[in-house]
Amino acid sequence: MTLVAEKAMAETGTRGVPPGNGGTDLSRRFAGVLILCGLPLLLLVAALGWSTYGRAEVTAQARDHIVEHLLLVAGIVATFSILATVVWRQFVSPAVALARAGALNGRGAATALPDVPAPWAGLRHQLEISITEQRAKIHQLRAMIDGIPLRTVYVDPDLVYRDANREFLEFVGKSRDEVVGHSVEEILGPEVVEQYLIMGERVRAGETMRWEGWIPFVTRGERYLQVSLMPYVAVGDTRVGFLTFTRDLTELKHGEQELARNMEALARSEAMNKAVVVSALDAIIVSDEDWRIVEFNPAAEAMFGYARTEAIGRHAFDIVVPDDVRDLQIGTMTRYKAKVDVGNLARRFDTVARRRDGTVFPVEYSVNTIRTGDHRLFMAHVRDLTDAKRMEAESQASRERLHQVEKLSAMGSLLAGVAHELNNPLAIVIAQSSLLVEKAASDDVKRRGERIHAAAERCGRIVKSFLAMARQKPPQREPVDVAQVATGAVDMVSYGIRSSGIAIAIDITPDLPMISGDRDLLTQVIANLMINAQQALMDRPAPRQITLRIARAGADIAIRVADNGPGIPPDIMRRVFEPYFTTKPAGVGTGIGLSICRNVVEAHGGKVVLSNRAEGGAQFDITLPIAEGTSEVPDLVKEPAARAGLSILIVDDEVDVARSLAEIVEGLGHRPVTVDRPAAALDEVANGRFDVIFADLRMPGLDGIDFRDRIHRRDPALADRTVIVTGDTVAGPDRLARAEGSEAVVLEKPFTFDDVRMVLARVAAAGEAREGPPRL
């Protein structure tokens, strides 16, 4: 009998339908009644027979009536039997049949009720009604149980399935017959049995147990279940079984887990997006469809000067757009918003923005659309182009300055070459004018020679100063007479200054102490300052004057270069020493002159200060420290004079230069020999003896250094007395540095009597000439 049938049968039993075995019980009861009724009758008959025929003295009369007595007993028994049969057929048998049919129907069997005599017709009708109602209730209960969205089963105390609803059967994929009568382990596996055993004791004690969690099944894998176990004692049983109600939450749990993962991913994404927005270098402004700001990142705070709390809720146009372009940008964004399907703007665009303090600066905008359901948000990335524009302008200015520097470099190389070419004729002029002075027949000729000599020497100093400035060499440290440096700088620039109608006032204190520095760089500083002063005075009315003043100031030498020009505006005075800063028109200056001047002065331990004169004009004041131990100009150390009568070889492809040098050497009491080709000079050296050799640096075929190296390989002492004559002080030093042996002695063009005398003294001090001709 099913669980539902048992419940229904229990209810029917309370209404008079025999429960249990029905007709069998009624038959047993009727047999008991017959026995109870017939046994006394039999005992009575037996007692009467015994009392009548059991004694020895039974009378003959009694014996004569024994047949009658037996007939009487037989009649009584027959009557009782007939009566019992009638009672059985009319009363007991119909009741037994009805009870048996009711019991079968109670067990779920569709058994028809038997026909019964008229007295039982009413009971049969009531039983038919009861069975019909019972069947309806059983069907209703089954439908209700099968319709429950839970897996419902009845498991007996031995963990065997006795009933299961449709939900459970569909879950295990079996029919009712394949489940009912089979154990839990067969259907669901040992893990489920373990859960029943864990909770079984408490359920048998009358407690309803609830459990939730993952549990593996033999056929369905791991499932997440919510289980309720209720105690139940079936009809006819005394042990406690289990009514199990199971809710399968696996899909829900998977959904929850997926939702949790999605939420976690969303949280990570939001955190990452927030981190990107917060840490973005560009300003990010997010606004709704009414252009009210909903997000304002830290970069936007720094860029526009508004705190995020101040910006949120305000119209973007009110805080970032300048008034003069407000209408234009509002129109652009309105057209953008009106588009149905928009992503980024067609292109990024450059415009201007406004800070909180009202300053306007260049920016680049890029606007994107963010959709959130039916709403749109607009995200604007704003990049400050101030530095980019400045760098672009500086790059353009640098390109222009580089172009100017390249032009100046090319001009410097060209002029250096021109100056080098001038050295040869200047050497001739100086040498010949010196000879003219030495051999003048009259005072008038001597004076004319002295003038020519002075002019030539001045040209030579200018050329030397110019080449020294163009020379690429490391800064030198040697005793320097600032007065001589200033004189050389004035010689360089005086013609251009005087030809421009500008007067030069020079005031140099005599006998100034020496300083330690680089003569060429300091000459460049003073010349540069005077040229700047000249350019400042070009558009000024007369009188125009540049003042150069040099004096001692305590432990320093003070140099002042001043002019009576317009002066320096205060707003640019602090920038004049910056590299590439210039107020001159394009093509006039590069903006590096004053920067170089300051670097040179500071490298010498001094300082330069710019100021405006009270009477008008600009004034540069330079202070340079006096060299230690030189409180005044020391006496010149005289070079030891070379002994007269030296044999000197002069090698120069410029014949006039060689002859001029030979005449100077001859005038100093020596014996010169001139050769215009290096190869022939090597033959002369091989065939004769020379105390000193003068060799020009630049000669075709074999230059002066190669010539000296050839000599060094055979006679290093003679190589030490070989003087290199050059006017190339730009590229020449690099070539001289590659000479073999000791450092080469150099005579720079244009040279004078004193220059030749001093160089001869230097090489003479190196040692006496060897006896005999050196072999090359």
Side-chain angles (χ1 to χ4, degrees):
M1 182 182 293
T2 64
L3 174 62
V4 176
E6 289 182 358
K7 291 181 178 180
M9 194 64 194
E11 293 180 0
T12 306
T14 60
R15 298 185 181 182
V17 177
N21 292 326
T24 303
D25 292 341
L26 186 60
S27 298
R28 285 197 298 266
R29 292 176 184 177
F30 182 72
V33 170
L34 290 179
I35 292 171
L36 291 176
C37 295
L39 184 58
L41 180 62
L42 290 176
L43 291 175
L44 177 62
V45 171
L48 291 175
W50 176 262
S51 61
T52 305
Y53 303 103
R55 294 180 303 207
E57 62 272 12
V58 176
T59 62
Q61 186 179 0
R63 293 187 186 98
D64 293 337
H65 295 285
I66 189 171
V67 175
E68 289 87 350
H69 288 169
L70 290 174
L71 292 175
L72 176 63
V73 171
I76 294 171
V77 171
T79 301
F80 183 80
S81 298
I82 293 171
L83 179 62
T85 300
V86 171
V87 171
W88 170 260
R89 294 186 62 184
Q90 293 296 321
F91 298 99
V92 178
S93 180
V96 169
L98 289 177
R100 184 176 289 111
L104 292 175
N105 281 279
R107 292 189 180 96
T111 303
L113 294 178
D115 294 330
V116 294
W120 296 94
L123 179 60
R124 182 179 184 280
H125 178 68
Q126 291 180 3
L127 186 57
E128 284 181 345
I129 295 173
S130 177
I131 290 173
T132 301
E133 291 178 354
Q134 177 184 340
R135 289 176 179 173
K137 287 183 178 181
I138 289 174
H139 180 74
Q140 179 182 354
L141 288 173
R142 172 56 61 185
M144 291 174 62
I145 294 174
D146 285 341
I148 294 175
L150 301 176
R151 296 171 197 154
T152 305
V153 296
Y154 166 51
V155 179
D156 68 14
D158 297 323
L159 299 183
V160 175
Y161 288 104
R162 295 306 176 187
D163 198 2
N165 72 340
R166 187 189 314 167
E167 188 79 11
F168 180 84
L169 297 175
E170 290 178 355
F171 172 72
V172 297
K174 297 179 181 295
S175 66
R176 190 181 306 276
D177 293 337
E178 292 174 315
V179 171
V180 174
H182 295 272
S183 67
V184 173
E185 185 172 4
E186 291 179 87
I187 303 302
L188 296 181
E191 286 80 4
V192 181
V193 173
E194 184 179 354
Q195 294 298 324
Y196 270 105
L197 295 177
I198 291 173
M199 297 184 288
E201 292 300 325
R202 297 177 64 178
V203 174
R204 292 187 185 96
E207 184 177 351
T208 297
M209 295 296 297
R210 289 177 175 83
W211 177 85
E212 182 173 332
W214 291 97
I215 188 168
F217 291 93
V218 173
T219 58
R220 300 300 298 271
E222 195 172 45
R223 309 292 292 180
Y224 190 88
L225 304 178
Q226 188 181 69
V227 181
S228 295
L229 263 67
M230 297 176 58
Y232 175 73
V233 179
V235 177
D237 202 347
T238 58
R239 297 180 301 166
V240 177
F242 306 95
L243 285 178
T244 305
F245 301 90
T246 303
R247 185 189 301 274
D248 194 332
L249 302 177
T250 305
E251 284 69 24
L252 179 61
K253 197 65 178 180
H254 285 161
E256 289 179 353
Q257 292 175 343
E258 181 67 22
L259 178 60
R261 287 193 293 269
N262 292 339
M263 292 297 292
E264 183 179 358
L266 179 61
R268 287 197 302 268
S269 177
E270 289 180 350
M272 182 181 66
N273 292 337
K274 185 175 182 180
V276 169
V277 171
V278 169
S279 62
L281 298 178
D282 292 340
I284 298 178
I285 304 174
V286 183
S287 58
D288 59 18
E289 292 188 334
D290 294 326
W291 305 114
R292 292 188 180 274
I293 296 174
V294 298
E295 182 56 65
F296 202 75
N297 75 333
E301 293 179 317
M303 182 180 296
F304 294 101
Y306 291 93
R308 182 176 182 275
T309 53
E310 295 177 299
I312 297 297
R314 297 181 61 179
H315 285 100
F317 298 116
D318 292 339
I319 63 175
V320 301
V321 179
D323 294 337
D324 55 343
V325 296
R326 178 186 176 92
D327 293 339
L328 176 63
Q329 288 201 21
I330 289 177
T332 300
M333 299 312 297
T334 300
R335 290 190 297 274
Y336 171 72
K337 186 174 71 172
K339 296 180 180 180
V340 176
D341 185 15
V342 294
N344 295 350
L345 285 177
R347 59 179 178 84
R348 294 184 176 184
F349 61 95
D350 294 349
T351 182
V352 292
R354 181 184 63 189
R355 296 188 178 91
R356 183 171 188 166
D357 59 8
T359 57
V360 177
F361 61 103
V363 295
E364 179 189 55
Y365 272 108
S366 175
V367 182
N368 304 322
T369 300
I370 304 173
R371 294 192 177 275
T372 57
D374 296 334
H375 302 283
R376 289 187 300 174
L377 296 176
F378 300 99
M379 177 183 290
H381 291 255
V382 189
R383 178 168 297 175
D384 189 346
L385 298 181
T386 302
D387 290 339
K389 296 290 186 182
R390 176 181 55 77
M391 292 176 65
E392 182 181 353
E394 290 181 355
S395 177
Q396 179 63 28
S398 297
R399 287 193 293 270
E400 294 176 357
R401 288 193 293 266
L402 180 60
H403 179 64
Q404 293 294 330
V405 170
E406 289 174 348
K407 288 172 58 179
L408 290 176
S409 177
M411 291 183 63
S413 298
L414 176 63
L415 292 177
V418 172
H420 175 248
E421 293 299 322
L422 288 175
N423 273 328
N424 286 331
L426 279 175
I428 298 172
V429 173
I430 291 175
Q432 295 300 321
S433 63
S434 298
L435 292 173
L436 183 61
V437 172
E438 292 287 334
K439 300 180 179 181
S442 64
D443 292 339
D444 183 56
V445 174
K446 184 176 182 179
R447 284 193 299 271
R448 291 179 184 274
E450 288 174 345
R451 291 176 184 172
I452 294 173
H453 183 73
E457 281 192 329
R458 181 184 174 193
C459 291
R461 287 196 303 273
I462 293 173
V463 170
K464 283 186 177 181
S465 297
F466 184 84
L467 289 174
M469 291 176 61
R471 186 184 309 169
Q472 301 272 340
K473 67 173 186 177
Q476 305 294 317
R477 283 293 182 270
E478 59 184 1
V480 175
D481 185 350
V482 180
Q484 291 182 359
V485 169
T487 301
V490 171
D491 287 341
M492 289 178 59
V493 301
S494 60
Y495 174 78
I497 292 176
R498 289 193 176 98
S499 64
S500 300
I502 301 173
I504 302 177
I506 301 176
D507 180 10
I508 302 177
T509 302
D511 301 330
L512 290 172
M514 292 284 191
I515 67 170
S516 177
D518 189 303
R519 183 187 309 274
D520 298 335
L521 292 178
L522 293 174
T523 301
Q524 182 178 355
V525 169
I526 297 176
N528 199 357
L529 293 178
M530 296 185 71
I531 291 173
N532 277 349
Q534 173 192 351
Q535 292 173 345
L537 292 170
M538 293 300 293
D539 297 330
R540 306 294 294 177
R544 296 177 289 181
Q545 178 175 299
I546 298 174
T547 301
L548 172 62
R549 181 176 291 110
I550 303 176
R552 180 168 182 170
D556 298 324
I557 299 295
I559 304 173
R560 174 174 292 177
V561 178
D563 62 69
N564 62 344
I568 307 296
D571 57 333
I572 66 172
M573 184 174 291
R574 61 183 179 84
R575 299 190 60 195
V576 295
F577 291 109
E578 294 180 4
Y580 304 109
F581 176 80
T582 181
T583 58
K584 299 172 185 177
V588 177
T590 62
I592 63 174
L594 291 179
S595 175
I596 293 176
C597 289
R598 183 179 66 175
N599 292 340
V600 170
V601 171
E602 290 179 351
H604 283 76
K607 61 181 180 179
V608 57
V609 178
L610 170 63
S611 61
N612 286 324
R613 304 170 63 192
E615 59 272 25
Q619 176 176 298
F620 289 87
D621 288 301
I622 298 173
T623 56
L624 296 170
I626 297 172
E628 295 182 1
T630 57
S631 57
E632 54 186 38
V633 178
D635 294 335
L636 294 176
V637 178
K638 295 183 179 180
E639 294 282 354
R643 64 182 175 85
L646 296 176
S647 176
I648 299 176
L649 176 64
I650 300 173
V651 186
D652 198 326
D653 60 322
E654 290 278 347
V655 178
D656 290 337
V657 175
R659 287 176 180 175
S660 297
L661 179 57
E663 290 177 352
I664 293 175
V665 168
E666 190 175 14
L668 294 173
H670 305 294
R671 303 187 306 275
V673 176
T674 61
V675 180
D676 60 353
R677 290 180 295 111
L682 290 175
D683 293 338
E684 289 287 341
V685 172
N687 297 323
R689 174 180 175 178
F690 296 98
D691 299 313
V692 179
I693 299 175
F694 287 90
D696 189 49
L697 177 62
R698 301 298 184 188
M699 294 184 293
L702 194 69
D703 68 7
I705 296 300
D706 292 332
F707 177 80
R708 182 182 181 276
D709 291 343
R710 294 280 185 91
I711 296 175
H712 179 270
R713 292 167 194 157
R714 298 294 301 273
D715 189 354
L718 182 57
D720 292 342
R721 298 193 302 275
T722 299
V723 180
I724 303 299
V725 183
T726 180
D728 186 0
T729 57
V730 177
D734 182 64
R735 185 71 184 96
L736 290 168
R738 294 197 292 271
E740 296 180 6
S742 59
E743 184 179 357
V745 181
V746 179
L747 174 64
E748 292 187 1
K749 300 175 184 179
F751 43 80
T752 64
F753 262 87
D754 291 335
D755 294 333
V756 177
R757 182 184 296 111
M758 292 179 66
V759 78
L760 284 173
R762 288 180 61 190
V763 297
E768 295 295 331
R770 291 184 178 182
E771 295 295 334
R775 299 187 180 277
L776 299 177

